[in-house]
Amino acid sequence: MNCVAFMVVTTSFLSWTDAVNRYFSKDNDKTLQYLMEPPVYAEIKARRGENATLPCVLRTVPSQYRVKWSKVDPLHTESENIILISNGHEVKHYGIWQSKASLRQMHALDISLCLTKLELQDCGLYQCELINGIDDERVTITLSIEGVVFPYQSSHGRYKFTYFDAKKACAEQDATLATYTQLYREWTDGLEWCNAGWLNDGTVHYPILNPRPACGKDLPPGIRSYGPRHKTKERYDAFCFTSTTEGSVFYVPGPLNFLEAAHACKEKGASLALVGQIYSSWKFLGLERCDGGWLQDGSVRFPIIIPKKRCGGLPQPGVHSFGFPKKSISLYGAYCYR
């Protein structure tokens, strides 16, 4: 971990920030005639599974117009993910949005977007665009999914994931690859991890709170970055992001080997929990247990909210890991999800 890596974090962060600033400011010199201006960087927060409304209101109704809602990526402005288009009378939906997106239309000036049953990948920037003849104007709203970021390693050890491996590994644990913003927020909440991991944009980072010789040396605390990396040739860990779940995690006492733990959960109408599920129950439901338990990926973990000496003596709250013990001879409890 060297000074070059530290300099890249600044460049990486600024490139994203600059892209967002350019996106938000590209129409700043254009006075809105028909759309109400939302608060600067308007942000709507919700959790997975909830519904959300992204506000967009007309000042006045043009004689002929179209409304277009789309999801946008400031780093890839050439691509546009259209959600729906309406002429005020009929609405045309696109792709996956047909079953989950609609216009609220609470009154004649309301063209707000309603999204149902939010998923992890629904977070991001949304654009409400009014097209009036050859003129158009737009406002942008940010949708943030409340959740938790967790580092994830392969059962085969450190730095085994290509970008696509990391994406698949997170999905298998009821999560997605985290965004830089999500990782940054988790770092401000206390996340520290001395191994570099993939993010969803193909960059590689690691968050440090207490620099030490093996982790950042004498550089100040921050999110170190290797910048964009080759997605198929280079290998790192992963930073995954998850949110609330429909069910919850509970503990079954041992001693149990892995197969016995899976059977114990099945007997209770449940299954061994995924890593994302135990993090969700820890974060949102206050799950705390000072006992190691098997999870579905073969790892053994335990969730702690208030650190205690008798619970490993670890100073930070979190979901702590014993790694991937031998499934046939190691004995623990089980964390089940139902």
Side-chain angles (χ1 to χ4, degrees):
M1 311 300 182
N2 53 34
C3 191
V4 174
F6 176 72
M7 293 302 293
V8 175
V9 68
T10 306
T11 304
S12 176
F13 176 72
L14 289 178
S15 64
W16 168 259
T17 303
D18 289 345
V20 173
N21 287 339
R22 285 196 301 271
Y23 188 85
F24 276 104
S25 64
K26 63 183 179 181
D27 292 319
N28 276 357
D29 57 345
K30 184 176 181 179
T31 302
L32 293 177
Q33 181 179 356
Y34 295 104
L35 293 176
M36 295 287 290
E37 182 71 55
V40 176
Y41 295 106
E43 182 177 15
I44 303 299
K45 294 183 179 181
R47 295 178 179 179
R48 178 170 56 179
E50 294 181 342
N51 302 334
T53 299
L54 309 185
C56 190
V57 179
L58 295 167
R59 295 176 184 270
T60 182
V61 180
S63 57
Q64 291 184 338
Y65 70 96
R66 287 183 298 157
V67 172
K68 180 172 72 173
W69 273 98
S70 54
K71 191 168 187 281
V72 296
D73 182 349
L75 293 177
H76 301 90
T77 54
E78 70 283 355
S79 61
E80 184 179 34
N81 185 356
I82 300 176
I83 299 170
L84 59 79
I85 296 177
S86 173
N87 62 4
H89 304 287
E90 297 180 350
V91 178
K92 180 179 180 180
H93 294 83
Y94 289 79
I96 62 171
W97 302 100
Q98 185 164 357
S99 61
K100 63 183 302 175
S102 62
L103 291 179
R104 185 171 61 176
Q105 296 179 310
M106 292 290 289
H107 50 79
L109 302 177
D110 185 16
I111 52 174
S112 302
L113 181 70
C114 296
L115 298 176
T116 61
K117 297 182 179 179
L118 293 175
E119 301 175 34
L120 297 177
Q121 59 268 28
D122 290 336
C123 67
L125 297 178
Y126 289 78
Q127 179 177 270
C128 174
E129 182 176 3
L130 180 77
I131 303 169
N132 180 28
I134 61 173
D135 295 323
D136 63 275
E137 53 189 59
R138 61 186 64 85
V139 295
T140 305
I141 306 292
T142 300
L143 174 61
S144 295
I145 304 296
E146 294 183 54
V148 57
V149 173
F150 60 93
Y152 191 72
Q153 287 185 340
S154 165
S155 60
H156 299 293
R158 178 174 179 258
Y159 292 175
K160 300 297 183 182
F161 295 141
T162 66
Y163 171 80
F164 300 101
D165 293 336
K167 193 172 183 178
K168 181 174 181 286
C170 289
E172 289 174 346
Q173 300 307 317
D174 191 39
T176 61
L177 276 176
T179 66
Y180 182 89
T181 299
Q182 290 164 347
L183 179 64
Y184 180 84
R185 286 177 174 171
E186 202 67 38
W187 171 71
T188 63
D189 286 342
L191 176 64
E192 181 176 62
W193 190 251
C194 195
N195 292 324
W198 291 102
L199 296 183
N200 75 329
D201 61 355
T203 58
V204 173
H205 304 258
Y206 67 102
I208 293 297
L209 290 169
N210 301 296
R212 48 202 183 276
C215 296
K217 298 183 179 179
D218 56 352
L219 296 173
I223 298 180
R224 311 286 192 260
S225 175
Y226 294 162
R229 310 308 297 178
H230 198 289
K231 291 183 177 180
T232 59
K233 293 182 179 180
E234 298 189 47
R235 295 176 183 270
Y236 299 94
D237 293 339
F239 287 104
C240 305
F241 173 81
T242 194
S243 183
T244 49
T245 60
E246 292 183 356
S248 61
V249 173
F250 61 94
Y251 180 77
V252 175
L256 304 166
N257 64 31
F258 178 78
L259 291 179
E260 291 169 341
H263 181 70
C265 290
K266 187 176 181 180
E267 283 189 329
K268 295 182 179 297
S271 59
L272 281 172
L274 303 174
V275 177
Q277 291 167 343
I278 194 172
Y279 267 94
S280 177
S281 285
W282 166 75
K283 175 77 172 182
F284 295 106
L285 301 179
L287 178 66
E288 182 174 48
R289 183 86 192 193
C290 191
D291 297 286
W294 291 103
L295 297 183
Q296 195 173 124
D297 67 340
S299 65
V300 172
R301 304 173 192 255
F302 64 100
I304 292 297
I305 294 176
I306 301 175
K308 309 174 183 67
K309 286 186 178 181
R310 65 182 182 85
C311 294
L314 298 170
Q316 294 90 17
V319 178
H320 300 296
S321 175
F322 291 146
F324 295 85
K326 290 186 177 181
K327 293 181 178 180
S328 59
I329 62 174
S330 301
L331 301 177
Y332 296 94
Y335 285 102
C336 308
Y337 176 80
R338 181 176 58 204

